Each structure stands twice: as C-alpha cells, then as structure tokens.
Amino acid sequence: MKQLLKSLAILAALLAPALAHAEDGYELWLRYHPMEQAALAQYRPVAAALLPRGESPTIKAATAELERGLGGLLARPEPVVSTIKSDGTIVIGTPASSPLIRTLSASLAKLGPEGYLIRSLTAEGHKVTVIAGNSDIGVLYGAFAFLRLIQTRQSVGNLDIVSSPKLQVRILDHWDNLNGTIERGYAGFSIWDWHKMPDYMDPRYIDYARADASIGINAVVVNNVGAQAEILTPLYIERAAALAAVFRPYGIRIYFSARFSAPIEIGGLKTADPLDPAVQAWWKAKADEIYKAIPDFGGFLVKANSEGQPGPQDYHRTQADGANVLADALAPHHGIVMWRAFIYSAENPEDRAKQAYDELVPLDGKFRDNVIIQAKNGPIDFQPREPIHPIFGAMPHTGVFLEVQITKEYLGLATSLAYLGPLYEEVLRTDTYAKGPGSTVAKLIDGSLFGSKLTGMAGVANVGDDRNWSGSEFNQANWYVFGRLVWDPALSSRTIAEEWARMTFTNDPRFVNPVVDMMMASREAVVDYMTPLGLAHLMATGHHYGPGPWVSNLERPEWNPVYYHRADAAGIGFDRTPTGSDATAQYAPQVAAQFNDINAIPEKFLLWFHHVPWGYKMKSGRTLWDEMVVRYDEGVAATTRARETWEKMKPYVDAQRFAEEEAFLTIEEKEAHWWRDAEIAYFQTFSKMPLPAGHAAPAHDLEYYKAIDFPFVPGH
Ligand code: BDP
C-alpha cells in the first residue's frame, strides 16, 4: 500500500506541470508525457540510472533534461548515481571528465567541438549507454538526441550513433524591436522582457534555450534587422549580458543587429562614414565594451542600404568598406559580421531581382575573413516560391550564409498551415552549377564547395510570447525543421516532419502518416492558391495579408504587385531573359540557358522569368490561363483536404490543440478561396478568357475584393 501511494505521488508530481497547462503547446516537441504501457518494457531497462561526469552548468543542464525527459516518458524518476552499479546506467560526459569516455577518444576525435556520440557498451560488467562529446555542449546535444530516439520510439538497446553539425553558425534572427513588438511576428510580443532585465530573468528564457539546443541552434540575434541603435548602449549591453548568461549553458551565443549610423545616433559623431578614423575608433571601442560584458558575444548582423536603413552607400563607400569597419572592430574578439545581401533601392531603375548581385558580386574577395554575406533564399523576398538567389555560387572568395524565413510573413501569417521543410530542402538541394553539376546551395553554405571557413544558416524566428510560442502548433514545426536541417542539410524534410509529429502529438501511425502527408503538401498548396507558376509578390500592401495583385499606387515601383506580374492584354509574367531585364545572366550559364528557354524552364518558375501569352500551351496541354485557374483550384482543394484530414485526427489529439488547429484550417480554407477568387477576377480583366469547364466563377466581382481592407494586421 505504502509502495502504491508512493508511486501515485510520483506520478502526480510528474503529471503536475502538464496538467497545470493542459496541452497548450508550451512544451513544444519536448513533450515528455508517459509512454504507452506496452513500450515501457523496451525502454525502462536501458534507462535505469544516470551517471553524469562533470560539474559544468552544461552537464547539469544535460542531466536535468534527461531526468525530466526519462522521468516523464518512463513515468518514474531516474536515480542519479556516482558509479556504475547496474545495467541500464546512462553515462554522460567528455574524455576529460570520464575515464570510460576517454576510451572512446578515437571515435570522438572526428566529431569536432559540438558533435556527440551515443553508444551502447559494457562497462564494469554492466550494460550501459554512453552519451559523450568532446565538449560539454556535445553532451547536451547528445542528451536531446537520445531523448528524441525514445520520444519517436526507436530502439535504443544497441546504439552506435555519431553526429556533428555540418554548419558552424546555426542562428535564429529575432526581428524583435526594443519596445516589444515584432516585425513580421504573429505569435504575440517579444519574449525578451528587456525592461525587467537584468534583475528579473523570465524562466521562459531557459525553456527557449532548451528548445533551441534540442535542435542544435547555437546563435541568436536578439533584435530586429531594422535596428535601433540603442541596443548598443550600456543599458542594453548589460541586459543582453544577463540573457547571454542564461543561454551560455545551452551553447547559445548572442548577436546584435547593428545600425550602421549608430556612431551618429548614440556616439555623438557627425558621420558614420566607414573610412573616417573616428568612426573606426568608435566601433572598436564599442566592440571592446560589448566583449567586456559578454565575452562570448557572437557579432553583428547588418541590414544596410535597404528599405530606409543607413549604410555605406550614404557616404559613397562600398558595402565592403562598411562591413570591414565592423569586422575589424570585432576581429580581436573573434566576432563576425553577417552583412545582409537584401539590398535594393528606389533610385535604381534596374530589376529589383538583380540589384543585390550587382552591388555585391564585384566586391568578392574584398571582405575581411570574418565577414559573411547573408542572402535570402531568393532574389526578391521570402515568397512562397522563388528561384534561388543568384549570389549563391557567384562569390567564391566570400563566406555566404543562407537566410530563410521561419515566420510566415508572405505565407498566410499565423494561421495557415505551411510546413516550410520542403521549401528549405528545395533551396538547399538546388544546383548552382558554380563549379559544374553538384554545386548545390547546401555545399556552398557548408563550405565544401569553395572551402569557406565560416559556415552557417539563419532563420527569421517565429517565436513570440504566445503560450504556444509560434502562434500555432504547426508553426512550431517550422522552427523545428529549421534547426534540424541546419544541423544536417542532408536530412529529408519528410523525415523531420515525422519526427516532429511524433514528438509533438503521438506515435500512433493512424495520426503520423496522414498528418505528415498533410504537412508535406501544405507549402505547395499555398504556392498554388497564392502565386502559382512563378508569380510572386501579389500580396496586399504593407502587411502582406491577402491578395492585392491590382495594387499600383505605391511610391516605389518595386513595392507594387503590378511590377511583379506585369499582366497585360498580351500575357503575364516578368521577362527576365535577355529580351527583358536579363536577370538570368546572373546565374551559371547552364542555369541561365534553362531559364531562358521557355520550353526547358521548369513551369514552377515560368512567370518569374517570362512574359507568357495567355493562350500559351502548357505541358498539360492547357492554355496558360486555364492552367492558372486549375492551379488556384488545386491550392484551394488542398486546403479542404487538409481540413478533412485533420477532422479525422480527433481521436488522437487532445481537445484543446485539436480545436485550435481545426479552426485555423478552416480559416486557411476561407483565405484560399479569397486568394483564388480575387486573382481570377483580376487577371481575367486582362486574359478576357472564360474559365475552363467545371471551374466556378469567383463568388464576387473584382471591386468587392479590392475593397477588402484589414487595417491592423499583426506584425506590421
Ligand atoms: C521583408 C519584410 C520587412 C523586412 C525585410 C528584411 O517585409 O519587414 O524588414 O524583409 O528582410 O520581407 O529586411
């Protein structure tokens, strides 16, 4: 009886945190709920005790995570022991902290500072599992990997796993303003409660760090690229130092977005000219000051000469002049500069898609070693689909990071289900042909193509202070897949989706299989109902919520959707071949040749590169106009299928998360109809063609769609 009461008390204690906030998404994929009875027999013997070797905060974090994870999953506390006394002991540590692990040094040697090894072996007559790294952070990554195996119900009885990250800087860019709002944030306000720092540090920062570390993220830019200079003042440096201290055990370094004109705004100088000695001295002193407070500070992210941000062009200096000043200030401390390629200007009449390349490629080789160019996946701006940025492969002497959006600015904000794994995968696997076939974007950014010493990939975070962190359960999957792919760009987005679904919801295949199919189809659905066949940037003004293909009155030409689709009586699409803007010439010759040839170009990019007659015969045999209508309807149908799939998942999901996603999918279906109808109504005024048989006319006339207005969309 006493034993029973004790077990019940333990169970209650384990369940308490879960019950307090029943399934509200806060736990993310680190959801360690008790597993099904039948599986316990397989896992309990492997995890009978924990033997941590080492005392560091990181080893303590790894131990705590294993206690929490195994304790939850196996519904019993794991005793922490100091010697191997039984089978099922899990030994964690490094060669420096454990003689047993020292015997594995040869295998560990290849894994670098952040890799991990998980191995089943016999030690002191007992069957044990070793989770080891060369450094403590490798151990923490290994602990999360071990838990993931159990969470996804893989066998852990006979393990021999090694893994190390393919990219060095695995970074989340928070577009958080210092007043708590988030540019393009759809999950509430910033989680950084700057005003209460450093005295009060919200425990949520630790859960955030755990989530990042669990997927290998090791870097965080804390403030918006549209930067406020104040982040570089002593007030914020002190606060950021406190945040850095919370993150340090989890292997995460802090970076700042730096405003190029900060020497004027907070430094009292008359200029921010990068060649001015006083400006150079200011940045040096600023870097020294930051490193005094944050010894492992990572460096600066800079958005210069773009959308009103100041930059070296203001002083008739090159982007390299600008980046190098900051780089020189950071170099003694081993900091880096991530200089964004997102550069375009209203004064430049050139095709916007060409401007960044024009500006930066001639400077290849002129940047300091600690500068990388950070380019968005496509040449315009995080559209549902773009061809890759032509800069990839064009700057062999410069380190290049890939930047993707995790938040869903152009893909339906918070409520639409667009799993972005396939988008990231598509980009990473695209061949630049920079050094012949096989020169993929993944190989460029992991350094294997040109041997760049600094490697990395950035994602614009979708984290806010909503209880579920990301605004919807399925948005969490985008955070997750980003981290997993940056750790290893060769992983498949489907495998990652499956892992995530199992960890976040259930291992029941009746749930996992249909839901993973639903996720995998979701991004293409958005492409189809918003911008099929290479169309882009047709969203409403400013907030980018909903369709606005008719918008033509904005100050800068390239802010207007009509600039992108160029529909007229003859056809639709942007001619970027040699008869048009010749943007194709910025790609490798093989790629350019394919894009230039209307018969060879993949149809998904057709209207990005060609102005095509409405009656043009597509591969399907349909006219372009009919094909567009079919694609819109396919996109709408996919959202209906997603909603119907989800309805069937009711038995496998808790009530709260089920109901929320059910409502969100209904919203998306409604929005898909809206997009489809608005675009058909508008483009039909040019094509003047009837809808193909079996495809319904838009529910309303064009004026109705033009009049729809949402003045206060979040994130804007
Ligand atoms: C665009 C966003 C804008 C960002 C900009 C950027 O609309 O809010 O500031 O990208 O990346 O997608 O700098």
Side-chain angles (χ1 to χ4, degrees), residues 551-628:
V551 174
S552 64
N553 61 349
L554 302 177
E555 182 192 341
R556 297 169 56 149
E558 78 287 350
W559 281 355
N560 291 291
V562 296
Y563 173 92
Y564 296 95
H565 64 66
R566 309 204 159 200
D568 55 21
I572 180 170
F574 196 135
D575 182 3
R576 293 188 163 108
T577 69
T579 55
S581 79
D582 202 20
T584 51
Q586 293 182 337
Y587 293 91
Q590 296 94 317
V591 179
Q594 195 198 25
F595 287 164
N596 284 335
D597 180 353
I598 195 165
N599 297 312
I601 187 169
E603 285 186 345
K604 62 185 177 188
F605 296 133
L606 182 64
L607 304 179
W608 186 281
F609 288 108
H610 292 265
H611 192 72
V612 182
W614 296 107
Y616 176 79
K617 252 279 173 51
M618 301 290 289
K619 295 206 177 85
S620 62
R622 297 183 196 105
T623 62
L624 169 63
W625 169 248
D626 284 0
E627 185 74 25
M628 282 174 63

Side-chain angles (χ1 to χ4, degrees), residues 156-306:
V156 291
N158 192 13
L159 295 175
D160 189 4
I161 295 175
V162 288
S163 181
S164 52
K166 302 285 180 299
L167 304 177
Q168 295 156 352
V169 183
R170 305 180 296 278
I171 190 162
L172 284 182
D173 292 356
H174 284 252
W175 285 2
D176 296 18
N177 298 310
L178 300 180
N179 68 0
T181 57
I182 304 179
E183 180 154 341
R184 314 308 179 185
Y186 310 105
F189 289 87
S190 174
I191 56 171
W192 318 136
D193 197 349
W194 291 111
H195 194 68
K196 298 199 188 87
M197 293 186 217
D199 299 311
Y200 172 71
M201 301 304 287
D202 190 334
R204 191 165 184 164
Y205 306 149
I206 295 179
D207 286 333
Y208 169 79
R210 288 175 50 232
D212 278 353
S214 76
I215 49 176
I217 285 166
N218 65 357
V220 169
V221 179
V222 292
N223 63 314
N224 190 2
V225 283
Q228 292 156 300
E230 287 82 356
I231 191 74
L232 301 173
T233 58
L235 181 70
Y236 281 92
I237 293 172
E238 186 196 10
R239 294 165 172 180
L243 201 52
V246 174
F247 288 173
R248 198 161 290 125
Y250 298 90
I252 298 167
R253 289 172 172 219
I254 278 191
Y255 295 66
F256 291 155
S257 289
R259 189 166 164 87
F260 195 75
S261 52
I264 304 175
E265 286 149 9
I266 58 167
L269 302 187
K270 294 226 158 35
T271 176
D273 181 349
L275 299 194
D276 185 306
V279 171
Q280 297 171 353
W282 187 87
W283 282 110
K284 265 199 170 321
K286 188 48 73 182
D288 293 348
E289 180 191 345
I290 296 172
Y291 278 92
K292 218 166 148 208
I294 313 173
D296 55 356
F297 180 71
F300 295 138
L301 172 66
V302 186
K303 171 177 179 174
N305 297 121
S306 167

Side-chain angles (χ1 to χ4, degrees), residues 377-388 404-405 407-413 416-427 521-540 544 546-547 564 604-605 608 632 668 675 679:
N377 54 280
I380 297 291
D381 193 8
F382 297 139
Q383 296 303 297
R385 169 168 282 122
E386 296 190 33
I388 58 159
V404 295
Q405 210 169 32
T407 192
K408 295 213 308 292
E409 176 180 359
Y410 291 97
L411 293 94
L413 317 191
S416 78
L417 197 172
Y419 171 59
L420 298 178
L423 189 162
Y424 305 157
E425 188 175 325
E426 176 176 303
V427 174
S522 60
R523 177 266 186 146
E524 206 62 39
V526 176
V527 172
D528 280 340
Y529 70 72
M530 286 189 187
T531 51
L533 301 170
L535 288 171
H537 222 301
L538 306 184
M539 294 74 188
H544 302 149
Y564 296 95
K604 62 185 177 188
F605 296 133
W608 186 281
Y632 288 130
E668 183 175 12
W675 266 97
E679 294 203 57

